[in-house]
Amino acid sequence: MDVFAFNASLSMCKDVAGIAGNIFAFGLFVSPMPTFRRIMRNKSTEQFSGLPYIYALLNCLICLWYGTPFVSHSNTMLMTVNSVGATFQLCYIILFILHTDKKNKMKMLGLLFVVFTVVGVIVAGSLQIPDQLTRWYFVGFLSCGSLVSMFASPLFVINLVIRTKSVEFMPFYLSLSTFLMSASFLLYGLFNSDAFVYTPNGIGTILGIVQLALYCYYHRNSIAEETKEPLIVSYV
């Protein structure tokens, strides 16, 4: 009875962490909306790049496949968050293609074809692996690698913040959402004993803490410098 109660509590904690991760991830998925409102208003993609949405779609599709019962067990929350994420990224890509020039249209369509081809090869290839454990390792390492590379992208922003001593290019709420989502899925992976979930999200959590610490440090310094400036500047 005690073992049953423990397993039930563990399952509940896993579900709570997964639901929290889904909610925080939704905040990340909607964050590009102001950019696309601007694109639609100006009917031009200007200098914006569509590559982040292509890569995010690839990442979501690989992680979605990992979350299915064909590959892993009891990962429903991974399926929901990545199916929603893939839908958002696909919508962003379509909007980008509709509002960009002909050269970029062809480039984005080509990349979209590559994404679906790669995912198709991964799905078909993994289904050819008869052993469930080997299939889990194969897709798990691909999923883990994809997530680690995604979480590593803020390193460029962190480097920029340190060089410029400014948090202008590192929005606070985006950094906070990334941290909360990573921390939630870190707990989800731990409660589910899934190394391919808690390892990359553990890295994401650490990077999220670094981003928030840098934001607090440089934002506080910028406020301190502003308060030192005289309210009235005399030119006499």
Side-chain angles (χ1 to χ4, degrees):
M1 186 65 181
D2 290 338
V3 175
F4 177 78
F6 175 77
N7 288 335
S9 299
L10 203 64
S11 179
M12 186 179 70
C13 290
K14 183 193 76 172
D15 290 340
V16 169
I19 292 169
N22 274 254
I23 293 170
F24 295 132
F26 186 80
L28 287 178
F29 296 150
V30 300
S31 62
M33 280 189 171
T35 299
F36 280 91
R37 276 200 296 267
R38 173 175 168 176
I39 288 173
M40 293 171 70
R41 184 176 64 248
N42 297 336
K43 300 187 187 308
S44 170
T45 54
E46 302 174 34
Q47 300 300 314
F48 292 112
S49 172
L51 291 178
Y53 311 106
I54 289 287
Y55 183 73
L57 176 63
L58 177 62
N59 177 70
C60 285
L61 290 175
I62 293 175
C63 293
L64 171 60
W65 176 238
Y66 175 76
T68 62
F70 295 103
V71 179
S72 60
H73 297 289
S74 304
N75 270 324
T76 305
M77 294 300 170
L78 283 186
M79 292 175 61
T80 57
V81 70
N82 285 292
S83 58
V84 172
T87 302
F88 268 97
Q89 303 311 321
L90 190 57
C91 289
Y92 292 144
I93 291 168
I94 291 171
L95 286 173
F96 193 93
I97 290 172
L98 289 174
H99 293 88
T100 194
D101 56 66
K102 186 176 179 180
K103 180 181 177 182
N104 276 325
K105 268 187 175 64
M106 299 308 295
K107 178 182 177 182
M108 290 293 290
L109 286 169
L111 289 172
L112 195 57
F113 176 76
V114 169
V115 165
F116 286 121
T117 301
V118 169
V119 173
V121 168
I122 291 171
V123 171
S126 58
L127 287 175
Q128 297 303 310
I129 302 173
D131 182 57
Q132 181 76 24
L133 183 62
T134 305
R135 185 189 304 166
W136 177 67
Y137 275 118
F138 173 69
V139 182
F141 276 116
L142 289 175
S143 172
C144 188
S146 178
L147 280 170
V148 168
S149 60
M150 186 188 74
F151 285 131
S153 59
L155 290 173
F156 297 102
V157 179
I158 290 171
N159 181 49
L160 183 64
V161 169
I162 293 172
R163 282 195 295 107
T164 61
K165 294 180 170 54
S166 170
V167 292
E168 179 184 357
F169 302 103
M170 191 174 68
F172 173 75
Y173 289 108
L174 191 60
S175 299
L176 181 62
S177 295
T178 303
F179 165 70
L180 292 173
M181 183 198 72
S182 301
S184 298
F185 277 107
L186 166 63
L187 293 174
Y188 176 86
L190 288 172
F191 289 133
N192 202 30
S193 302
D194 193 331
F196 293 124
V197 175
Y198 66 70
T199 300
N201 283 288
I203 295 171
T205 302
I206 294 169
L207 288 174
I209 292 171
V210 171
Q211 288 185 72
L212 291 173
L214 284 173
Y215 186 92
C216 292
Y217 178 76
Y218 286 111
H219 184 65
R220 184 181 59 195
N221 283 358
S222 63
I223 292 174
E225 287 176 8
E226 286 176 7
T227 55
K228 289 178 185 177
E229 293 179 2
L231 294 177
I232 300 175
V233 180
S234 174
Y235 294 98
V236 177

